[in-house]
């Protein structure tokens, strides 16, 4: 069964049918989902979803574009929250200069602080990086974050950059973008990298694969991503599912059930 390593089921896009959709997942081949915090509020929502559904795990953290809300009191709250059962990572954290808000110095400060938090609580990281390739890599190296393990989510950089992260032991999160016609760079990365380092993700409600591009995404669309990986790597789709689920369980340090 498929493991969705990155979803945002607390998003208002799911307000109309969240319960029904989540309860349908396991019957449709989705084994587990990690709901990813992107702000203090969505980290709180993640804790609630995790408590409610046995197959939902959580990452808590503050997305770079939301870091203006952070202060040391909230860092303390995050640290407490990270000790909850079923919290499997700190994230999503990182740098986003596409949405250049707040200013880079603020984003960098809270990226470093949240890396330190991951170290304190002993959890892997979920990294969001957009239009900030150099600064992200510099900080990850300076902080020795390779030791923490985790994933570069929605990987969107070059093959050279992919090699840097693979060398440090990171997984790369692969989702709907792989099915886009213009995803040439990403297809090169997937062709190059070992299947043992790919984890599947939706980033839902965003980034639906073709043929649903532009529509609301959910874990139910992951078979289209599996198919794309299968074609690029010349490996049967059952093997893509088996290996990526094993990868996800290793990355999030869950029993290899
Ligand atoms: Ni996300």
């Amino acid at each position: 069964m498929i493991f969705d390593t990155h979803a945002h089921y607390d998003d208002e896009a799911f307000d109309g049918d969240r319960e029904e959709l989540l309860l349908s997942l396991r019957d449709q081949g989705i084994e587990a989902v990690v709901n990813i915090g992107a702000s203090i509020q969505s980290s709180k929502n993640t804790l609630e979803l995790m408590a409610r559904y046995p197959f939902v795990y959580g990452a808590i953290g503050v997305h770079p574009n939301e870091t203006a809300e952070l202060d040391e009191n909230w860092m303390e709250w995050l640290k407490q929250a990270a000790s909850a059962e079923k919290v499997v990572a700190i994230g999503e954290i990182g740098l986003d200069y596409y949405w250049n808000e707040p200013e880079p110095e603020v984003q960098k400060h809270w990226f470093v602080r949240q890396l330190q938090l991951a170290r304190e609580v002993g959890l892997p990281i979920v990294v969001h990086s957009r239009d900030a390739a150099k600064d992200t890599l510099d900080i990850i190296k300076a902080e020795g974050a390779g030791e923490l393990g985790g994933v570069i989510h929605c990987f969107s950089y070059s093959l050279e950059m992919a090699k840097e992260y693979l060398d440090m032991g990171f997984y790369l999160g692969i989702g709907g973008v792989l099915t886009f016609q213009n995803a040439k760079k990403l297809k090169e990365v997937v062709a190059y990298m070992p299947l043992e380092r790919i984890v599947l993700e939706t980033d839902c409600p965003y980034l639906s694969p073709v043929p649903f591009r532009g529509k609301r995404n959910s874990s139910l669309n992951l078979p289209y991503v599996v198919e794309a990986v299968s074609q690029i790597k010349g490996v049967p789709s059952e093997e893509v599912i088996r290996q990526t689920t094993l990868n996800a369980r290793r990355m999030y340090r869950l029993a290899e059930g």
Side-chain angles (χ1 to χ4, degrees), residues 169-185:
F170 284 102
Y171 293 84
L172 303 185
I174 304 296
V177 174
L178 188 65
T179 67
F180 297 176
Q181 208 155 30
N182 57 359
K184 191 163 164 279
K185 247 181 0 179

Side-chain angles (χ1 to χ4, degrees), residues 233-244:
K233 299 206 78 65
V235 165
S237 50
E238 300 72 40
E239 173 60 10
V240 171
I241 291 172
R242 189 197 67 77
Q243 184 64 52
T244 54

Side-chain angles (χ1 to χ4, degrees), residues 14-57:
F14 297 107
D15 282 355
D17 61 349
R18 181 175 297 108
E19 171 102 352
E20 191 187 337
L21 177 60
L22 284 170
L23 290 178
S24 77
L25 293 182
R26 289 192 51 100
D27 284 343
Q28 305 207 50
I30 309 300
E31 171 181 298
V33 170
V34 176
N35 204 73
I36 306 283
S39 62
I40 294 296
Q41 184 58 51
S42 74
S43 293
K44 290 180 181 173
N45 298 342
T46 294
L47 296 175
E48 284 175 22
L49 284 174
M50 249 170 41
R52 187 174 175 91
Y53 302 99
F55 52 89
V56 175
Y57 298 85

Side-chain angles (χ1 to χ4, degrees), residues 145-207:
E147 291 171 13
L148 303 170
V151 59
I152 313 302
H153 128 78
C154 194
F155 187 80
S156 61
Y157 294 138
S158 65
L159 183 56
E160 287 62 42
M161 205 49 84
K163 288 176 181 170
E164 294 271 5
Y165 287 109
L166 293 169
D167 283 349
M168 283 188 278
F170 284 102
Y171 293 84
L172 303 185
I174 304 296
V177 174
L178 188 65
T179 67
F180 297 176
Q181 208 155 30
N182 57 359
K184 191 163 164 279
K185 247 181 0 179
L186 184 60
K187 286 172 184 160
E188 277 171 21
V189 168
V190 168
Y192 167 82
M193 71 185 294
L195 185 58
E196 288 71 20
R197 294 296 192 82
I198 294 177
V199 290
L200 300 178
E201 61 172 45
T202 52
D203 204 19
C204 65
Y206 311 107
L207 297 174

Side-chain angles (χ1 to χ4, degrees), residues 6 8 92 153 203:
H6 192 120
H8 300 281
E92 53 188 294
H153 128 78
D203 204 19

